[in-house]
């Protein structure tokens, strides 16, 4: 399905005109179209993707595939094609999208990534539409749930929580003489707050100098990467940060040229040129999110009865092209991981 990217102009004219996105038409309830079915009940599934990047694309693709499989098995229909949007990391746009979906009376909201989930939470305080989020790194820290085992009344989902210590163990094993590490992240991303705090504590305890650089746009991230290269750090760590993920294709060659391996909190970073990504399988995350959607809509379970799902995040993904360019032997890391994947640079997962 070609993805619909909603511009601000489109959002402003939604109420005045029949909306047509870049990837399809908005649903029109004419009593016989997408919202009717002869074989079984149709559920409207509103999917709001925070931004277009390889990790989140994997989640959406596998979420949709699993919804289709469940629909065939259970004799129902999940209509997500008419209710999918990409907010392009713009909070005003995402707020407008969520309002539109609520007006469309969707049966569930599925926000992808922490900022989108927080907007959905706020928008459903009064109407209590079920919210099943995906890829929220710290649901409790973001205030989405009281705890992973005790979700909010109408909200739960899947988490891509990162084992920061494990990825830094890999970094230390790769270079036992490491003296200075760069931390590259977007300080406005809630997903980065806890792992950056954990990384600073780990590195400082190990007697390693820490250099922090941040950015909120591609241009700022590129400048931050240049600054880390100028600082001659021995390695760079980035958690599950969507801003840096979006910019990875623009910065990975800078790090290669400077001889700096980039360790990141998702496999998609490695696909986009970083030396190593470590974390959850985002395809599996999409599948598990779809299962939770079905539990709420088809099985009638309350979101509050479903604990947040946190996946095993013990898989390392190494970019073999980048490893060769950096002259790094990654084989010694293999036994430290539950899973080990070798890939080469591409624009995104197929």
């Amino acid at each position: 399905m070609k993805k619909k990217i909603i511009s601000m102009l489109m959002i402003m004219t939604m109420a005045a005109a029949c909306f047509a996105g870049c990837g399809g038409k908005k649903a029109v309830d004419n009593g016989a179209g997408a919202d009717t079915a002869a074989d079984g009940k149709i559920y409207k599934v509103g999917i709001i993707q925070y931004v277009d990047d390889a990790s989140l694309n994997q989640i959406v693709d596998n979420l949709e595939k699993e919804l289709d499989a469940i629909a065939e098995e259970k004799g129902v229909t999940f209509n997500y094609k008419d209710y999918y949007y990409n907010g392009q990391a713009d909070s005003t746009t995402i707020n407008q999208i969520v309002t539109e979906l609520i007006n469309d009376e969707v049966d569930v909201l599925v926000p992808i990534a922490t900022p989108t989930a927080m907007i959905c939470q706020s928008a459903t305080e009064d109407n209590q539409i079920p919210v099943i989020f995906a890829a929220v790194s710290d649901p409790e820290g973001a205030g989405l749930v009281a705890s992973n085992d005790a979700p909010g009344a109408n909200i739960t989902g899947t988490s891509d929580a990162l084992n920061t210590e494990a990825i830094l163990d890999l970094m230390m094993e790769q270079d036992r003489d490491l003296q200075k590490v760069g931390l590259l992240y977007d300080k406005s991303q809630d997903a980065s707050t806890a792992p950056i705090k954990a990384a600073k504590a780990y590195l400082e305890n190990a007697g390693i100098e820490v250099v922090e650089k941040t950015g909120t746009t591609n241009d700022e991230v590129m400048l931050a990467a240049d600054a880390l290269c100028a600082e001659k750090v021995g390695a760079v760590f980035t958690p599950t940060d969507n801003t840096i993920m979006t910019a990875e294709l623009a910065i990975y060659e800078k790090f290669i040229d400077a001889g700096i391996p980039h360790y990141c909190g998702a496999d998609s970073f490695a696909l986009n040129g970083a030396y190593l990504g470590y974390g959850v399988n985002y395809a599996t995350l999409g599948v598990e999110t779809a299962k939770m959607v079905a539990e709420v809509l088809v099985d009638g379970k309350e979101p509050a009865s479903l604990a947040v799902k946190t996946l095993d995040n013990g898989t390392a993904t190494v970019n073999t092209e980048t490893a060769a360019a950096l002259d790094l032997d990654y084989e010694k890391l293999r036994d430290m991981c539950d899973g080990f994947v070798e890939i080469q640079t591409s624009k995104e997962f197929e």
Side-chain angles (χ1 to χ4, degrees):
M1 176 184 68
K2 189 176 180 182
K3 306 301 184 187
K4 291 187 285 189
I5 301 175
I6 310 303
S7 70
M8 287 303 300
L9 179 59
M10 290 175 178
I11 292 293
M12 294 297 292
T13 58
M14 277 181 179
C18 178
F19 177 81
C22 296
K25 298 178 180 178
K26 278 292 293 161
V28 177
D29 186 3
N30 58 11
D35 295 329
T36 63
D39 297 335
K41 185 162 183 175
I42 289 190
Y43 299 98
K44 302 179 189 178
V45 179
I47 300 174
I48 315 100
Q49 183 172 341
Y50 175 63
V51 73
D52 186 43
D53 71 34
S55 294
L56 304 191
N57 290 346
Q58 280 190 93
I59 294 171
V60 172
D61 289 345
N62 286 276
L63 165 69
E64 293 174 350
K65 289 175 184 176
E66 183 65 15
L67 285 176
D68 289 343
I70 294 172
E72 184 175 355
E73 175 190 348
K74 295 184 177 290
V76 299
T77 299
F78 297 108
N79 179 11
Y80 54 79
K81 292 183 179 179
D82 293 319
Y83 304 104
Y84 167 88
Y85 292 100
N86 190 318
Q88 293 304 306
D90 186 287
S91 60
T92 302
T93 301
I94 295 169
N95 270 289
Q96 294 283 357
I97 288 169
V98 173
T99 298
E100 177 76 5
L101 290 170
I102 291 172
N103 290 338
D104 282 341
E105 298 182 345
V106 295
D107 296 296
V108 65
L109 293 169
V110 186
I112 315 296
T114 303
T116 316
M118 294 174 71
I119 290 172
C120 286
Q121 179 192 42
S122 178
T124 59
E125 286 180 353
D126 294 331
N127 55 53
Q128 291 294 290
I129 294 172
V131 176
I132 309 297
F133 57 73
V136 172
S137 300
D138 185 6
E140 185 176 352
L144 292 168
V145 299
S147 72
N148 285 356
D149 292 328
N154 71 313
I155 186 166
T156 187
T158 59
S159 174
D160 60 346
L162 178 65
N163 186 337
T164 303
E165 182 176 334
I167 189 171
L168 294 178
D169 284 344
L170 296 176
M171 179 189 291
M172 298 288 286
E173 177 63 25
Q174 185 72 73
D175 183 0
R176 296 183 179 182
D177 296 322
L178 197 59
Q179 296 180 357
K180 185 189 295 189
V181 170
L183 304 180
L184 177 62
Y185 63 102
D186 178 353
K187 58 187 176 183
S188 69
Q189 289 276 321
D190 289 288
S192 292
T193 303
I196 288 296
K197 182 179 179 180
K200 289 169 67 176
Y202 177 108
L203 294 167
E204 289 169 0
N205 186 60
I208 295 174
E209 182 181 351
V210 173
V211 179
E212 290 184 72
K213 298 296 177 182
T214 65
T216 59
T217 67
N218 269 27
D219 287 344
E220 290 177 359
V221 172
M222 291 174 70
L223 289 173
D226 287 336
L228 289 172
C229 293
E231 288 272 3
K232 299 186 183 301
V233 297
V236 172
F237 167 68
T238 294
T240 51
D241 189 304
N242 287 301
T243 300
I244 310 303
M245 172 68 251
T246 304
E248 187 65 33
L249 283 168
I251 63 174
Y252 82 95
E253 290 179 321
K254 293 176 181 289
F255 289 142
I256 290 176
D257 291 343
I260 301 170
H262 192 189
Y263 295 80
C264 308
D267 51 4
S268 48
F269 284 91
L271 187 76
N272 281 180
Y275 167 55
L276 185 146
Y278 183 90
V280 306
N281 183 312
Y282 281 91
T284 302
L285 198 76
V287 169
E288 293 302 319
T289 306
K291 290 178 179 178
M292 296 185 79
V293 169
E295 285 185 272
V296 169
L297 295 185
V298 183
D299 300 339
K301 295 182 179 180
E302 295 293 331
S305 71
L306 301 175
V308 173
K309 288 186 180 179
T310 301
L311 305 185
D312 172 28
N313 63 0
T315 297
T317 302
V318 170
N319 186 311
T320 57
E321 292 176 324
T322 300
L326 294 170
D327 193 25
L328 294 176
D329 176 15
Y330 54 83
E331 285 299 327
K332 59 184 176 180
L333 307 181
R334 191 180 294 271
D335 291 340
M336 298 175 64
C337 309
D338 293 336
F340 202 86
V341 179
E342 299 177 18
I343 61 173
Q344 296 183 337
T345 307
S346 181
K347 289 187 176 180
E348 64 177 80
F349 284 95
E350 299 295 336

